[in-house]
């Protein structure tokens, strides 16, 4: 296999070829080119040279048969800041998967772009990860709260027996968002601007992505996707919530994409969840969906009557021992990290 193929860094000079291959990975996504222009090429941490974080694997006659993209991000653990990479859009053409191309591409990508984090991998890739000495650092779970549980059960049956997958996208999504919502006596204002960076909220031993001013502006204000930002400043440090409309199991839901609160003040996560419910109710959505990789987040979701939904996904990490000793064993992620929220459909 190694004599037949080569692995190269992606080059932004061949942008159109890159976008064309992305259509194989996301054949039904609307606005794919715009999302790639923003997410892959607009990341403020991307280096200024011609290379694009990630690798492409090609045959000897220059046919691209796979890619493994990387999204640079800043994170902190044990009071030290690092720049790492989230892996996404790992894809190899089907006819080459049994010939070792995927394993070669995956292992080389992880080793080249360390520290590395990956989420939502297939069973085969998870097996490759274990063989390559890559650790499982957490489990990503999805949770859902519905305004009418009886309606939710009926909607699932309708989805299973009556709807075709493509019909799910035809549900109208034209609800408005309130300018102010009240949650446990605190008012959250709907804002069009971002705060100037946000503090970390987890203990030192937890790997947590940084929320810098540049990240917040790029991730939410420059995106072709429409996000809604809510803030409460009564606590000094802001209670911060970012949401958008999404489709899940045939229902119109509010997706909690990102959130922050004063460091260590986990009681305010309950308040943020109450605010998300109020936003969903005012917008006449069916409920709220959110992810969790950290135990305290899961505990708050259960307190607020969210139910586990869907299949959990492993969060894997390659964190070299010379920089991360003893091993890091927990991670805090939201849907804003890597491309996690793009798996939820959204109508314009």
């Amino acid at each position: 296999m190694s004599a037949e193929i080569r692995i190269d860094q992606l080059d932004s000079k061949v942008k159109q070829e890159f976008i064309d291959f992305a259509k194989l990975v996301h054949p039904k996504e609307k606005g794919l080119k715009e999302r790639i222009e923003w997410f892959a090429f607009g990341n403020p941490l991307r280096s200024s040279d011609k290379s694009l974080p990630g690798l492409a694997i090609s045959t000897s006659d220059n046919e691209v048969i796979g890619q493994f993209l990387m999204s640079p991000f800043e994170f902190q653990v044990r009071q030290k800041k690092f720049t790492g990479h989230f892996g996404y859009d790992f894809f190899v053409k089907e006819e080459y998967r049994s010939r070792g191309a995927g394993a070669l591409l995956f292992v080389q990508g992880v080793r080249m772009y360390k520290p590395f984090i990956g989420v939502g991998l297939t069973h085969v890739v998870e097996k490759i990860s274990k063989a390559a000495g890559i650790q499982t650092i957490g489990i990503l779970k999805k949770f859902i709260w519905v305004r009418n549980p009886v309606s939710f059960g009926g909607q699932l049956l309708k989805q299973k027996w009556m709807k075709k997958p493509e019909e799910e996208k035809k549900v109208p999504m034209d609800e408005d968002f309130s300018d102010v919502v009240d949650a446990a006596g605190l008012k959250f204002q709907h804002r069009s601007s971002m705060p100037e960076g946000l503090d970390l909220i987890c203990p030192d031993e937890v790997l947590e992505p940084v929320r810098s001013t540049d990240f917040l502006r790029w991730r939410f204000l420059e995106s072709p996707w429409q996000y809604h930002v809510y803030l409460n400043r009564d606590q000094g440090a802001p209670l911060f919530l970012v949401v958008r409309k999404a489709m899940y199991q045939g229902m119109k839901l509010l997706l909690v994409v990102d959130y922050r609160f004063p460091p260590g003040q986990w009681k305010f996560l309950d308040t943020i969840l109450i605010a998300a419910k109020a936003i969903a109710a005012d917008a006449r959505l069916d409920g709220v969906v959110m992810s969790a990789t950290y135990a305290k987040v899961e505990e708050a979701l259960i307190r607020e009557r969210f139910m586990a939904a869907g299949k959990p996904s492993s969060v894997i990490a390659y964190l070299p021992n010379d920089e991360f000793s003893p091993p890091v064993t927990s991670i805090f992620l939201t849907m804003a990290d890597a491309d996690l929220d793009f798996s939820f459909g959204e109508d314009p």
Side-chain angles (χ1 to χ4, degrees):
M1 169 58 72
S2 59
E4 301 174 17
I5 64 171
R6 70 175 189 277
I7 296 178
D8 302 301
Q9 278 192 285
L10 292 165
D11 193 326
S12 58
K13 291 184 294 185
V14 291
K15 183 182 293 188
Q16 188 56 53
E17 290 88 339
F18 170 74
I19 292 172
D20 289 342
F21 192 84
K23 293 176 182 176
L24 296 176
V25 188
H26 306 282
K28 296 182 180 180
E29 182 176 332
K30 295 184 294 183
L32 177 62
K33 181 178 180 180
E34 290 77 12
R35 178 171 73 81
I36 288 174
E37 290 277 3
W38 157 66
F39 191 74
F41 294 94
N43 189 316
L45 291 176
R46 188 170 79 87
S47 61
S48 58
D49 62 19
K50 296 293 184 181
S51 65
L52 181 71
L55 300 174
I57 187 167
S58 308
T59 63
S60 56
D61 58 358
N62 294 322
E63 176 194 1
V64 177
I65 61 171
Q67 68 176 23
F68 191 13
L69 308 186
M70 301 288 171
S71 181
F73 76 108
E74 292 180 319
F75 67 91
Q76 188 164 315
V77 65
R78 297 168 184 158
Q79 301 185 11
K80 185 176 180 181
K81 186 183 291 187
F82 300 86
T83 297
H85 288 84
F86 281 111
Y88 71 104
D89 281 8
F90 174 74
F91 182 85
V92 175
K93 289 183 178 179
E94 186 172 0
E95 59 268 32
Y96 292 93
R97 293 173 189 173
S98 63
R99 301 168 61 186
L104 189 64
L105 177 63
F106 181 80
V107 172
Q108 187 160 328
V110 167
R111 296 290 171 81
M112 181 176 292
Y113 289 99
K114 60 181 185 290
F116 166 87
I117 304 292
V119 188
L121 305 173
T122 65
H123 178 65
V124 173
V125 174
E126 286 191 28
K127 290 177 66 176
I128 297 171
S129 300
K130 292 178 181 178
I134 300 165
Q135 70 183 103
T136 297
I137 197 175
I139 302 294
L140 182 137
K141 302 177 184 178
K142 292 187 287 288
F143 290 83
I144 187 170
W145 171 83
V146 291
R147 294 170 60 195
N148 186 338
V150 175
S151 174
F152 174 56
Q155 190 70 32
L156 287 180
L157 289 174
K158 186 178 180 182
Q159 169 81 1
K160 182 175 181 180
W161 298 112
M162 299 178 62
K163 282 192 172 186
K164 296 179 180 179
E166 61 269 19
E167 289 179 324
E168 183 179 282
K169 297 183 179 180
K170 297 178 182 178
V171 180
M173 299 281 283
D174 57 355
E175 293 84 359
D176 293 326
F177 283 78
S178 299
D179 290 334
V180 181
V181 293
D182 185 280
L186 298 178
K187 295 188 181 300
F188 285 74
Q189 302 281 339
H190 192 186
R191 302 288 296 273
S192 59
S193 60
M194 290 289 164
E196 294 296 312
L198 295 165
D199 294 331
L200 300 172
I201 61 177
C202 292
D204 289 345
E205 291 296 316
V206 180
L207 191 158
E208 180 177 351
V210 171
R211 292 297 184 255
S212 67
T213 302
D214 287 344
F215 174 89
L216 294 172
R217 290 174 180 169
W218 164 70
R219 189 62 175 79
F220 301 119
L221 296 185
E222 298 173 10
S223 170
W225 296 59
Q226 184 179 16
Y227 295 98
H228 299 269
V229 180
Y230 284 84
L231 281 175
N232 172 281
R233 293 186 177 276
D234 295 346
Q235 313 307 311
L239 304 185
F240 172 77
L241 173 63
V242 180
V243 297
R244 70 168 174 84
K245 295 176 288 188
M247 297 301 301
Y248 185 72
Q249 299 285 10
M251 296 192 301
K252 298 177 291 183
L253 296 175
L254 188 77
L255 178 64
V256 175
V257 182
D258 204 19
Y259 55 91
R260 287 296 189 275
F261 45 84
Q265 299 296 307
W266 288 93
K267 63 182 180 180
F268 288 119
L269 180 53
D270 297 64
T271 307
I272 286 171
L273 295 176
I274 294 169
K277 292 178 184 179
I279 295 166
D282 289 349
R284 300 181 300 281
L285 299 174
D286 297 316
V288 180
V289 64
M290 179 170 146
S291 68
T293 63
Y294 187 55
K296 284 186 175 293
V297 178
E298 188 170 340
E299 291 165 5
L301 287 163
I302 292 171
R303 283 196 300 271
E304 289 302 321
R305 303 182 185 279
F306 281 69
M307 303 176 294
K311 184 179 179 181
S313 299
S314 295
V315 182
I316 64 168
Y318 183 59
L319 305 170
N321 291 334
D322 57 345
E323 293 184 272
F324 302 93
S325 183
V328 179
T329 59
S330 59
I331 187 168
F332 169 82
L333 299 178
T334 72
M335 284 286 181
D337 295 306
D339 62 339
L340 296 179
D341 81 293
F342 305 147
S343 60
F344 290 84
E346 181 193 39
D347 280 2

